[in-house]
């Protein structure tokens, strides 16, 4: 059996456009529904829509310029490709993405390291003006009710001084959570100046005294003000122990304070959020706790405390390889051509492998969306070059995917739609 290397430049361009569209829609999905939809469903939708956009680009390119299938395919059979597009791309990759995400995200709890959390709340005098309804207090009380069994939690309030409402302690039951919420409500009312550096230094000391393991401590800091401090010096204990600091500020409260909170988070490997009003603090502070449960998916960073070693890196790479191969197979189904399907399947596997390696070595990253964009575009690009990388077989009988009618393929490349035998049928019929 002979083979010929084929290439449709228009298909490459349209696949890349489809990859960009799928990436943009995927980022919107992650921003809007991460933490709302279960990760298995979210990843199914992510890969399903990405496959649909790439498949749409490939089918449109071949319809306009049938360099791989031939003119006869465009005239007689291209309409069937449009009917198969959604089932072969969106539905098949949705099912595969859901299944693979389930396998990738499965993680026995005993293999995870529990984290210690310290909530550090600003109660300086400026809070009377910026948070008159005590929304920060309500957000803290709401967070307390969401703490999982086995997670240790501490609350520290500060102005120019600091006070532990509760040192780092496991909240064993609902009664313990209710008692902490009550004591927090009775804490000192807003007054005094702001000293963020002193509060963070005390939070680090508290975790060290509580025996918080390295990489297992997190501070959630809320403040509406600014105070002079040496960021590098204050955050040094956090960096040394692998403790993170997530910061939340109020938009418009203190511009210089916002920049300080951003610097603190960047130095200690955390995130910075700036909410428009105090009423949104509940969602912002709560998301920092639940974030550890919503990033356990194929296109995101793995949560800290998961198993170490090569198993998970290899697993993600293999699953992306399989997803790429299935995406290639879906193009073969859309084109109704077994020999094209073989080339696309092989090219898709290579594309998926490269995308998986990009994700594995590119994450974690401060710009995770850039890494995902690179992976999506590599997937689309390499897939579009499949028939150039892996020659398409010619001159053999092809029973096809969708029936038993056979025909002999022509020796000439790029003319797969024309049969040498009278009444010759489609490739997969």
């Amino acid at each position: 059996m002979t083979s010929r290397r084929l290439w449709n430049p228009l298909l490459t361009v349209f696949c890349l456009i489809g990859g960009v569209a799928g990436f943009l829609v995927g980022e919107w999905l992650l921003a809007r529904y991460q933490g709302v939809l279960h990760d298995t469903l979210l990843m199914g939708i992510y890969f399903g829509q990405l496959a649909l956009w790439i498949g749409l680009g490939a089918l449109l390119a071949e319809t306009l310029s049938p360099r791989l299938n031939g003119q006869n395919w465009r005239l007689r059979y291209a309409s069937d490709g449009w009917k198969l597009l959604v089932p072969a791309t969106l539905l098949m990759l949705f099912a595969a993405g859901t299944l693979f995400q389930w396998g990738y995200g499965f993680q026995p709890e005993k293999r995870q390291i529990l984290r210690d959390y310290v909530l550090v709340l600003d109660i300086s005098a400026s809070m009377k003006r910026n948070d008159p309804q005590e929304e920060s207090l309500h957000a803290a009380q709401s967070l307390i009710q969401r703490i999982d069994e086995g997670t240790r939690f501490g609350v520290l309030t500060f102005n120019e001084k600091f006070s532990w409402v509760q040192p780092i302690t496991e909240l064993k039951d609902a009664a313990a959570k209710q008692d902490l919420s009550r004591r927090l409500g009775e804490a000192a009312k807003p007054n005094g100046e702001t000293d963020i550096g002193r509060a963070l230094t005390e939070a680090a000391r508290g975790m060290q005294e509580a025996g918080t393991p390295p990489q297992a401590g997190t501070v959630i800091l809320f403040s509406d003000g600014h105070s002079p401090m040496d960021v590098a010096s204050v955050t040094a204990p956090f960096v040394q122990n692998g403790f993170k600091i997530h910061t939340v500020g109020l938009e418009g409260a203190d511009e210089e304070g916002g920049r300080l909170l951003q610097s603190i988070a960047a130095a200690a490997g955390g995130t910075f959020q700036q909410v428009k009003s105090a009423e949104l603090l509940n969602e912002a502070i709560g998301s920092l706790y639940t974030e550890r449960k919503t990033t356990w998916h194929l296109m995101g960073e793995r949560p800290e405390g998961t198993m170490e070693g090569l198993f998970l890196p290899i697993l993600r790479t293999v699953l992306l390889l399989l997803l790429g191969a299935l995406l290639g197979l879906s193009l073969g189904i859309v084109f109704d051509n077994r020999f094209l399907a073989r080339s696309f399947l092989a090219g898709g596997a290579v594309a998926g492998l490269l995308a998986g390696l990009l994700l594995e070595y590119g994450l974690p990253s401060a710009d995770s969306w850039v890494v995902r964009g690179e992976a999506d575009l590599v997937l689309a690009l390499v897939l579009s070059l499949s028939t150039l990388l892996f020659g398409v077989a010619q001159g053999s009988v092809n029973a096809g995917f969708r029936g038993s009618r056979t025909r002999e393929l022509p020796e000439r490349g790029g003319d797969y739609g024309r049969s040498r035998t009278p009444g010759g049928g489609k490739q997969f019929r």
Side-chain angles (χ1 to χ4, degrees), residues 107-390:
Q107 181 82 353
E109 289 296 324
K110 65 181 181 180
R111 301 296 296 274
Q112 297 186 12
I113 300 173
L114 295 175
R115 301 186 67 79
D116 290 348
Y117 285 81
V118 178
L119 183 60
V120 180
L121 291 177
D122 188 343
I123 58 168
S124 61
S126 60
M127 292 295 292
K128 293 180 181 178
R129 177 181 68 258
N130 294 319
D131 186 17
Q133 302 301 318
E134 297 185 332
E135 295 292 343
S136 58
L137 173 62
H138 299 155
Q141 291 173 325
S142 176
L143 175 59
I144 290 169
Q145 300 306 314
R146 301 165 70 174
I147 298 298
D148 294 331
E149 180 181 351
T151 299
R152 299 197 303 174
F153 191 75
V155 180
L156 176 69
T157 59
F158 73 97
N159 40 36
E160 72 271 15
K161 301 178 182 179
F162 62 82
S163 175
W164 283 97
V165 178
Q166 173 175 288
I168 300 172
T169 307
E170 182 180 350
L171 300 177
K172 296 182 178 180
D173 51 33
K177 295 179 181 179
Q178 192 63 34
D179 179 62
L180 176 55
S181 294
R182 177 188 57 80
R183 286 187 282 115
L184 181 58
E186 296 172 353
K189 299 304 177 182
N191 66 90
E193 301 297 325
T194 304
D195 192 338
I196 296 174
R198 186 175 186 183
L200 289 176
T201 299
E202 177 60 19
R205 187 194 65 81
M207 285 191 290
Q208 290 169 347
E209 287 191 354
T212 301
Q215 311 296 325
T218 297
V219 166
I220 300 176
L221 166 67
F222 167 71
S223 177
D224 70 333
H226 174 270
S227 64
M229 61 174 286
D230 184 340
V231 173
S233 176
V234 170
T235 59
F238 294 90
V239 175
Q240 292 168 6
N241 290 280
F243 300 156
K244 285 190 173 184
I245 303 176
H246 297 293
T247 60
V248 181
L250 284 175
E251 185 177 314
D254 188 311
E255 185 175 343
E256 191 176 5
R259 289 195 295 268
L260 174 62
L261 293 178
Q262 191 170 12
S263 299
I264 292 171
T271 60
F272 167 67
Q273 295 188 59
Q274 194 169 53
V275 297
K276 293 184 178 180
S277 63
E279 289 79 6
L280 300 175
L281 286 171
N282 193 351
E283 179 180 352
I285 292 177
S287 68
L288 293 172
Y289 176 71
T290 57
E291 180 186 12
R292 67 194 180 99
K293 301 179 181 179
T294 60
T295 57
W296 188 224
H297 58 69
L298 283 164
M299 298 301 288
E301 302 175 20
R302 280 192 293 273
E304 294 180 2
T306 51
M307 68 177 76
E308 298 179 356
L310 294 176
F311 175 74
L312 288 177
I314 293 175
L315 179 61
R316 170 153 55 185
T317 304
V318 169
L319 292 178
L320 263 295
L321 182 153
L322 294 176
L323 285 166
L326 287 174
L327 178 53
L329 177 63
S330 73
L331 294 187
I333 295 174
V334 168
F335 292 144
D336 196 11
N337 188 308
R338 174 182 293 183
F339 296 123
L340 285 180
R342 292 174 181 173
S343 295
F344 279 119
L345 189 148
V350 173
L353 173 64
L354 295 176
L357 291 174
L358 269 172
L359 290 170
E360 195 54 47
Y361 287 98
L363 297 173
S365 169
D367 296 317
S368 299
W369 64 274
V370 174
V371 179
R372 285 191 291 268
E374 293 172 346
D376 288 347
L377 290 180
V378 164
L379 185 63
L381 174 62
V382 177
L383 181 65
S384 74
L385 301 176
S386 296
T387 54
L388 186 62
L389 299 173
F390 301 93

